[in-house]
């Protein structure tokens, strides 16, 4: 009898985050850096453990809706104006996997300005503040120049955050950011090539037993992410899967 696998969501989330960020040098570790910063904000504000976990899932996968390489690079370099589209698509993708349902709601709103009151109608308070934490962390990370030492960039980055505090970002979150923005180790950890190890030690990750249909959900997410990197591969994975099912049926192998 085949047993359902026991999975550490830590490995699943960080591996998927890594795969998404290996499209270009400007994107390497971007989502994990954002996850680290967002988690520091949540820890400083003493959010409940469950809320921190959902925040971490969302932050580590917040750019999953940027499907093409061109979109990804353009956004990280500040050349993309339609942030709503990729946030919506990312939320839709993550909602296909049951353990990411709450994270999907966070990703869906992670580019909403804090003071855009109409945009938050019906959004629960935890999702709103988590989405804004991802927004703030993403803003900070995208302003780090990778060709210069990090500590010399801190005054400029902090000033840019302060300039739009209360508009784009919650003043409470900006206050939490100020609590550790003057600590050198925060910035050195944020740009560490082993930021994944830093993240792993910051929360108690749940061990999850995944039924086979959940693994299928993950497979479908990966399929869409990989195939939509290019118009030439838009149906590649689904085509391979369909062909495999037909071949398996011919050989009397049960693949579904």
């Amino acid at each position: 009898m085949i047993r359902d696998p026991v999975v550490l969501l830590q490995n699943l989330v960080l591996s998927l985050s890594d795969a998404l960020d290996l499209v270009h040098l400007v994107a390497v570790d971007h989502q994990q850096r954002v996850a680290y910063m967002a988690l520091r904000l949540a820890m400083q504000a003493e959010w409940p453990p469950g809320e921190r976990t959902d925040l971490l899932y969302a932050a580590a996968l917040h750019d999953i809706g940027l499907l093409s390489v061109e979109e990804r690079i353009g956004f990280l370099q500040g050349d993309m104006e339609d942030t709503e589209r990729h946030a919506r698509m990312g939320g839709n993708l993550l909602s296909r996997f049951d353990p990411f349902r709450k994270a999907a709601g966070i990703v869906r709103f992670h580019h909403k300005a804090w003071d855009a009151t109409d945009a938050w109608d019906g959004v629960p308070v935890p999702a709103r503040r988590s989405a804004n934490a991802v927004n703030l962390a993403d803003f900070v990370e995208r302003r780090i120049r990778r060709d210069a030492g990090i500590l010399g960039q801190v005054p400029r980055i902090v000033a840019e955050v302060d300039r739009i505090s209360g508009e784009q970002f919650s003043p409470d979150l900006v206050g939490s950011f100020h609590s550790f923005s003057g600590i050198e180790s925060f910035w050195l950890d944020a740009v560490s090539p082993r930021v994944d190890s830093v993240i792993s030690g910051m929360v108690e990750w749940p061990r999850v037993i995944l039924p086979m249909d959940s693994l299928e959900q993950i497979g479908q997410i990966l399929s869409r992410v990989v195939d939509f990197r290019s118009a030439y591969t838009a149906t590649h994975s689904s085509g391979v899967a369909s062909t495999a099912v037909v071949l398996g049926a011919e050989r009397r192998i049960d693949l579904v």
Side-chain angles (χ1 to χ4, degrees), residues 98-192:
D98 293 336
F100 291 164
R101 295 283 183 183
K102 291 183 179 178
I106 296 169
V107 170
R108 173 67 182 81
F109 293 100
H110 81 276
H111 280 302
K112 294 291 186 186
W114 182 254
D115 65 353
T117 52
D118 291 345
W120 296 107
D121 288 346
V123 179
V125 171
R128 179 182 179 182
R129 66 185 186 183
S130 291
N132 201 237
V134 176
N135 194 358
L136 174 54
D138 182 55
F139 179 89
V140 170
E141 204 288 322
R142 287 190 290 113
R143 275 146 188 81
I144 295 175
R145 288 180 50 192
R146 296 184 178 228
D147 60 351
I150 181 59
L151 298 181
Q153 302 180 58
V154 172
R156 170 182 56 81
I157 294 171
V158 172
E160 290 191 40
V161 170
D162 288 344
R163 180 175 54 83
I164 51 178
S165 175
E167 299 173 5
Q168 190 70 22
F169 310 124
S170 156
D172 290 340
L173 279 177
V174 173
S176 295
F177 174 65
H178 274 287
S179 298
F180 52 75
S181 63
I183 301 174
E184 291 184 356
S185 61
F186 162 73
W187 297 99
L188 295 175
D189 281 342
V191 300
S192 167

Side-chain angles (χ1 to χ4, degrees), residues 2 6 13 19 21-22 24 26-27 29 35 44 50 65 110 117 125 141 150 152 171 185 195 214 220 237 245:
I2 299 177
V6 178
V13 171
D21 282 351
L22 289 175
H24 193 275
V26 301
D29 289 337
Q44 183 66 35
H110 81 276
T117 52
V125 171
E141 204 288 322
I150 181 59
S185 61
V195 67
S214 290
Q220 289 172 349
S237 295
V245 169

Side-chain angles (χ1 to χ4, degrees), residues 20-67:
L20 291 167
D21 282 351
L22 289 175
V23 297
H24 193 275
L25 288 175
V26 301
V28 172
D29 289 337
H30 167 69
Q31 292 184 113
Q32 292 186 17
R33 289 182 176 189
V34 170
Y36 165 72
M37 294 178 188
L39 187 57
R40 284 295 300 266
L41 289 169
M43 293 173 69
Q44 183 66 35
E46 299 182 341
W47 293 358
E51 196 172 333
R52 297 180 199 178
T53 302
D54 290 325
L55 169 66
L56 196 48
Y57 295 162
L61 300 171
H62 71 275
D63 277 344
I64 196 170
L66 288 168
L67 297 177

